[in-house]
Every structure is written in C-alpha cells, then in structure tokens.
C-alpha cells in the first residue's frame, strides 16, 4: 500500500499516521521529522531547513525532493509507505510521479484529514512532542500519563519551535496557498479518502480505514 496523507498543520496527520503505519505495516515517511532530526544533529541539511521552518515557510523543493527520493530507496519502503508532509506543492507532486513511475510504482490512495481552522490554532499551540520517539501529545486534549514525560519512551516532551501562534498562522497561510491545491490534483485522479478530525482521532481513523477498505486496500 502506497499512501499520501494531506491536511493542514495540526490537523492530526501525525496521530493518524501512528495508527495507520502499525495497522498496515507501512514505513512512515514524515519530511518534518526528517528535517527535525537533521536540525537536532546539526547537519548542513538541518541548518538550511531551520531558517525556513522557523519562519513557517516551505523548505525549497530542490532540497526536499532529493531528500524524499533518497528516503524512498530504503528497504523498509518495499512493504509500502505513508508519505506525511510530502508532497506539499504541485511541483513536488509531479516530481513524486516521476520518482515512482521510474520504479513502476504509483500511489494507491491519498488521505485527506479535514479539521476546521478554529480548532487548529488551539490544538497546535497546546501540542507537545517527544523529541526522542516522535510521539505527540496535547496538554489540554491528550496529556501524557506522567506530566512532561513521553508515555512510550519516558523522554521529556517539548514544544516544537514552530508551534507558536505567529508561526502557526504563517504555516496555515502557506498550506492554503501551496498545499490545499493538491486535494483537487489528486481528486482529479479519484484517489482521495477523507477522514474528518473535528470530533476525535478515533472517528477520523475509522473513516479512513473504511475508505481504504472500500478501495480494496487492507
Ligand atoms: P505540520 O504539518 O504540522 O506543519 P511538519 O512536521 O509536516 O508539520 O513540517 C514542519 C515544517 O517542515 C513545515 O512548516 C516546512 O517548513 C517544513 N517541511 C516539511 N515538509 C516539507 C515539504 N514537503 N516541502 C517543504 N517544506 C517542508
Ligand atoms: Zn518518546
């Protein structure tokens, strides 16, 4: 199964991915996670990406596309993957088509996570993440069992440097300008499976699973 997941920043893509990758045994490829890993390790890629990320802007396509192409050559992708945070522009989507067609592969479905903007600002500014294993929490809605500690690995959870109100607004603007058009792009190919995350993540995930099943993906 080869999937893409689309949704505004803070729509709940990451939470859905954590479930979907386990359910279907997929490699979870999050470009945001790869950038953050590079920033943490102080690599040249991380240094370049950080300026864009902290401004709520997109890292240039040239950098991002090369990084994903390389990631897709890794062994774990052969059992299927879910792309989270990529593509984010039409140019990236076209590049992805080319990368996959060279390998005689194609995307099976594109998941669209729908969340109202009013909810997003509140959810993102109260979000916390585990820098060690990538799990995500929310101090208001999904707190960890022990305050400040990751349930899965015990590390101290943190707030992402781009999860401030000002940067979230810029990320939303960037999303509407560059990424939202991808929903029409993939709808034109009949690939969209929708999950509504306005109520709770469990409902969203069950909608996604039924949508995938209806397409014979399971
Ligand atoms: P979110 O979906 O919550 O905005 P991500 O973790 O997916 O968060 O991405 C964080 C930041 O990383 C983005 O705001 C952007 O600066 C950068 N980024 C991630 N994926 C891409 C991409 N495909 N193209 C360009 N920039 C990206
Ligand atoms: Zn953890």
């Amino acid at each position: 199964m080869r999937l893409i997941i689309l949704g505004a920043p803070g729509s709940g893509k990451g939470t859905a991915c954590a479930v979907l990758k386990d359910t279907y045994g997929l490699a979870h490829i999050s470009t945001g996670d790869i950038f953050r890993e590079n920033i943490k390790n102080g690599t040249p890629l991380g240094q370049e990406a950080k300026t864009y990320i902290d401004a709520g802007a997109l890292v240039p396509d040239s950098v991002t596309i090369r990084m994903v192409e390389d990631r897709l050559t890794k062994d774990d992708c052969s059992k299927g993957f879910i792309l989270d945070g990529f593509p984010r522009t039409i140019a990236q989507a076209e590049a992805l088509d080319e990368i996959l067609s060279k390998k005689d592969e194609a995307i099976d479905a594109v998941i669209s996570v729908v969340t109202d903007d009013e909810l997003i600002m509140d959810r993102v500014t109260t979000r916390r993440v585990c820098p060690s294993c990538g799990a995500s929490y929310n101090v208001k809605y999904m707190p960890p069992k022990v305050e400040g500690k990751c349930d899965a690995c015990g590390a101290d959870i943190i707030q992402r440097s781009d999860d401030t109100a000002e940067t979230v607004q810029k990320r939303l603007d960037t999303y509407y300008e560059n990424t939202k058009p991808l929903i029409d792009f993939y709808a034109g190919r009949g690939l969209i499976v929708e999950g509504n995350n306005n109520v709770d993540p469990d409902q969203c995930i069950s909608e996604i699973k039924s949508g995938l099943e209806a397409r014979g993906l399971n």
Side-chain angles (χ1 to χ4, degrees), residues 26-63:
L26 307 172
H28 176 207
I29 304 177
S30 159
T31 43
D33 284 351
I34 302 174
F35 286 134
R36 283 184 286 277
E37 186 67 25
N38 277 277
I39 291 170
K40 194 167 81 184
N41 295 332
T43 70
L45 174 70
Q47 281 163 14
E48 180 171 9
K50 187 167 168 46
T51 29
Y52 297 99
I53 291 175
D54 285 344
L58 295 180
V59 179
D61 282 347
S62 54
V63 177

Side-chain angles (χ1 to χ4, degrees), residues 25-214:
L26 307 172
H28 176 207
I29 304 177
S30 159
T31 43
D33 284 351
I34 302 174
F35 286 134
R36 283 184 286 277
E37 186 67 25
N38 277 277
I39 291 170
K40 194 167 81 184
N41 295 332
T43 70
L45 174 70
Q47 281 163 14
E48 180 171 9
K50 187 167 168 46
T51 29
Y52 297 99
I53 291 175
D54 285 344
L58 295 180
V59 179
D61 282 347
S62 54
V63 177
T64 308
I65 291 166
R66 212 172 339 114
M67 180 177 91
V68 172
E69 179 160 27
D70 176 64
R71 178 66 184 83
L72 287 171
T73 64
K74 302 282 187 290
D75 285 346
D76 63 339
C77 297
S78 61
K79 59 190 184 200
F81 55 78
I82 183 160
L83 281 169
D84 168 10
F86 183 93
R88 246 182 168 89
T89 62
I90 298 281
Q92 290 180 9
E94 286 166 347
L96 177 64
D97 280 343
E98 239 173 81
I99 292 168
L100 294 178
S101 73
K102 272 191 251 166
K103 303 196 263 195
D104 262 321
E105 291 177 0
I107 294 296
D108 297 303
V110 177
I111 297 164
S112 166
V113 180
V114 179
T115 304
D116 294 343
D117 275 6
E118 305 85 87
L119 299 175
I120 285 179
M121 186 56 83
D122 178 46
R123 285 185 188 171
V124 181
T125 51
T126 51
R127 166 161 74 182
R128 299 292 182 272
V129 294
C130 173
S132 176
C133 77
S136 80
Y137 300 93
N138 186 293
V139 291
K140 268 162 87 175
Y141 308 107
M142 261 205 298
K145 295 198 187 82
V146 178
E147 197 186 324
K149 302 280 180 197
C150 175
D151 291 347
C153 76
D156 288 336
I157 56 176
I158 56 159
Q159 180 166 34
R160 272 167 49 174
S161 62
D162 61 344
D163 277 352
T164 59
E166 194 196 358
T167 308
V168 175
Q169 189 53 57
K170 290 201 189 108
R171 283 158 59 203
L172 276 173
D173 296 344
T174 305
Y175 171 77
Y176 281 109
E177 188 178 331
N178 297 287
T179 310
K180 190 110 194 291
L182 289 176
I183 295 180
D184 288 337
F185 180 90
Y186 288 116
R189 298 184 184 178
L191 287 176
I192 297 284
V193 167
E194 206 172 275
N196 185 311
N197 198 30
N198 283 323
V199 182
D200 74 285
D202 291 342
Q203 185 192 321
C204 176
I205 287 157
S206 78
E207 281 181 28
I208 293 169
K209 284 184 183 164
S210 342
L212 292 174
E213 209 165 298

